[in-house]
Amino acid sequence: MDNEWVLFIENEKKKPYFTKLLSFIENERKKTTVFPKDEDVFNAFKITPLKDIKCVIIGQDPYFNPNEAHGLAFSVKKGVKIPPSLRNIFIEIESDLGIKCSNTDLTGWAKQGVFLINRVLTVRSGEPNSHKDCGWEEFTNSVITFISKKNTGCVFMLWGNEARKLKKSINVQHLILEAPHPSPLSSYRGFFGCRHFSSCNSFLTSIGKDGINWEN
């Protein structure tokens, strides 16, 4: 993890809400199975340095089935069955760019500067949204505000109502793209056809940055 992220997280840990959050997560792990593993919770911060961020994709909360969540929004490691939301993301990429994606591990995106962060960073096994309103929302709001202030010319993809709540934390010099969440319940309400991936690359190249190789 780069020094700027280390300092940022250490500063958040000093705040009362985060102390309470960490205590809650610790107690949850004693009582039940929590995803992702403790060492994977901050993987997005470990893989993508702050200065390298070009695009931010905000998910809802981690996958709640075993062996799925590993700290990057929408990503699962190779060999794990592709979740429906990620399958729909790949369908949209193919429709938008003519690229057929097959690598479910999105670490390749993260290494190119795509910050893959969920609104909530942990979840109980088998219970979606089980850690909603436990403190993570305040943390991720601080994260998005920090990225917005520190970086210039980033693309923020806000998918679904929870992600859209962060719009007010993003400065005007960035490109904000909004769409329904790519889950099967909402993908046909406007996620399909949103063309966020080509829009992202067009914006990045227009300001002199390299686009993202979404083929991963």
Side-chain angles (χ1 to χ4, degrees):
M1 192 182 300
D2 76 341
N3 195 48
E4 284 191 282
W5 276 138
V6 170
L7 292 174
F8 170 80
I9 292 174
E10 287 302 316
N11 186 56
E12 291 299 305
K13 284 182 177 179
K14 295 174 185 176
K15 299 177 181 179
Y17 88 89
F18 207 90
T19 302
K20 185 178 178 181
L21 172 62
L22 290 179
S23 178
F24 167 76
I25 300 299
E26 184 180 355
N27 288 331
E28 284 283 278
R29 290 193 187 278
K30 288 176 182 177
K31 295 185 298 183
T32 188
T33 301
V34 173
F35 300 130
K37 295 176 183 177
D38 187 52
E39 63 267 25
D40 288 341
V41 171
F42 294 104
N43 270 349
F45 301 86
K46 295 174 185 176
I47 298 169
T48 313
L50 177 69
K51 65 179 177 57
D52 293 344
I53 293 175
K54 295 189 285 188
C55 175
V56 180
I57 297 179
I58 304 164
Q60 186 168 287
D61 66 338
Y63 297 125
F64 54 85
N65 293 318
N67 303 313
E68 290 185 336
H70 66 113
L72 298 178
F74 297 107
S75 178
V76 293
K77 292 185 177 179
K78 290 180 180 179
V80 177
K81 182 181 178 182
I82 186 169
S85 292
L86 183 56
R87 182 186 297 111
N88 287 339
I89 290 169
F90 285 176
I91 289 171
E92 175 58 22
I93 290 173
E94 184 172 6
S95 172
D96 186 13
L97 298 170
I99 293 170
K100 194 168 183 66
C101 300
S102 59
N103 187 0
T104 61
D105 186 340
L106 304 182
T107 300
W109 290 5
K111 288 181 177 179
Q112 293 181 72
V114 181
F115 190 69
L116 297 161
I117 185 77
N118 281 310
R119 192 77 168 92
V120 173
L121 269 58
T122 55
V123 67
R124 280 187 215 121
S125 175
E127 297 182 47
N129 286 319
S130 48
H131 286 177
K132 189 176 186 292
D133 299 324
C134 295
W136 282 123
E137 289 88 348
E138 185 169 350
F139 174 73
T140 48
N141 183 66
S142 294
V143 170
I144 298 306
T145 301
F146 189 65
I147 294 171
S148 177
K149 287 180 177 178
K150 287 285 187 177
N151 289 12
T152 57
C154 292
V155 179
F156 288 82
M157 297 186 187
L158 309 183
W159 297 340
N161 292 332
E162 286 303 313
R164 282 171 160 167
K165 290 177 182 177
L166 292 168
K167 185 176 180 178
K168 63 184 182 297
S169 302
I170 303 168
N171 292 335
V172 293
Q173 78 264 22
H174 303 291
L175 176 64
I176 299 173
L177 302 173
E178 298 180 67
H181 194 275
S183 74
L185 294 174
S186 56
S187 56
Y188 287 94
R189 298 175 188 164
F191 177 77
F192 289 141
C194 69
R195 304 201 67 190
H196 281 186
F197 304 95
S198 60
S199 297
C200 172
N201 281 356
S202 293
F203 175 78
L204 291 175
T205 55
S206 75
I207 59 172
K209 295 184 179 182
D210 291 334
I212 306 299
N213 176 13
W214 297 109
E215 200 167 3
N216 192 26

